[in-house]
Amino acid sequence: GAVVSQHPSRVICKSGTSVKIECRSLDFQATTMFWYRQFPKQSLMLMATSNEGSKATYEQGVEKDKFLINHASLTLSTLTVTSAHPEDSSFYICSARDLSLEANVLTFGAGSRLTVL
Amino acid sequence: GNSVTQMEGPVTLSEEAFLTINCTYTATGYPSLFWYVQYPGEGLQLLLKATKADDKGSNKGFEATYRKETTSFHLEKGSVQVSDSAVYFCALSSSGNTPLVFGKGTRLSVIA
């Protein structure tokens, strides 16, 4: 089945620095990837839809200058948290579909836990 | 817009007890319905799915039936195990390459 790899799984950074999270589709191409954020004990909030070769589509309330998304190839999307602050600490999860397989099944990465000190 | 409502947890059960986690949805058209599971410290894994009315998804002893008349997709398992302790998310997806809409998740704890 489809596999989505996410890296790093955990990252700790100082306030004010930037952190990049990578999301790769293994063995399939993904023209679209989705980035979610999960707060403790809460559901997943869709942050943005990452589109290969074009700008990401951000959900209402998500700062596009804060959360930079780049989808430069059919297998890689990156999320960069710029000038991170403690309130950005969260669990970030990416997902994608292998459209050659069953329709509408989203495969998720294992997530990246960001802690900003 | 589309939305998913699922019962709030946490749910605590003894091993071998019967599990039901309720899920209802609001959507236009004919969405696909999913249950995802998140084990502690991990990402989400697809547990089961159903793509049309009256379909029954099943996996690892879990079942859910797509009920269009009641707009529901309740998750059930006849005998839970300690290893089933996790957070369960009900979700829906419209047609096309669109993101999933999730319920808030239900934390299940199974004690021996």
Side-chain angles (χ1 to χ4, degrees), chain A residues 36 38 43 97 102 104 106, chain B residues 34 36 38 93 97-98 100 103:
Chain A
Y36 288 85
Q38 185 178 31
S43 187
R97 283 192 181 88
E102 300 168 276
N104 284 328
L106 259 185
Chain B
F34 306 85
Y36 279 81
Q38 185 178 32
S93 178
N97 197 6
T98 55
L100 288 178

Side-chain angles (χ1 to χ4, degrees), chain B residues 37-93:
Chain B
V37 58
Q38 185 178 32
Y39 297 102
E42 298 183 13
L44 274 74
Q45 301 175 25
L46 177 67
L47 180 60
L48 53 84
K49 68 177 177 69
T51 57
K52 61 182 186 296
D54 299 326
D55 266 3
K56 177 186 284 188
S58 61
N59 185 25
K60 299 180 180 179
F62 291 89
E63 292 183 342
T65 301
Y66 190 142
R67 301 287 189 197
K68 190 164 179 61
E69 64 275 14
T70 54
T71 62
S72 65
F73 193 54
H74 304 321
L75 182 69
E76 297 182 337
K77 185 173 185 180
S79 176
V80 293
Q81 305 300 313
V82 172
S83 57
D84 294 326
S85 298
V87 181
Y88 292 83
F89 292 93
C90 185
L92 71 80
S93 178

Side-chain angles (χ1 to χ4, degrees), chain A residues 10-83:
Chain A
R10 293 179 181 272
V11 56
I12 300 173
C13 70
K14 293 182 179 180
S15 186
T17 61
S18 295
V19 174
K20 180 185 286 186
I21 300 170
E22 293 186 348
C23 180
R24 294 181 184 274
S25 58
L26 304 183
D27 299 328
F28 72 98
Q29 296 180 336
T31 56
T32 303
M33 292 184 176
F34 305 102
W35 287 94
Y36 288 85
R37 180 175 179 176
Q38 185 178 31
F39 295 93
K41 298 185 179 180
Q42 292 189 25
S43 187
L44 291 90
M45 180 191 76
L46 178 66
M47 298 176 65
T49 300
S50 173
N51 303 299
E52 187 271 333
S54 64
K55 292 181 178 180
T57 304
Y58 290 83
E59 296 299 301
Q60 190 173 9
V62 178
E63 300 176 62
K64 61 181 180 180
D65 295 330
K66 173 76 170 176
F67 299 100
L68 299 179
I69 291 173
N70 183 22
H71 195 151
S73 77
L74 288 171
T75 60
L76 174 63
S77 174
T78 61
L79 167 68
T80 302
V81 183
T82 63
S83 186

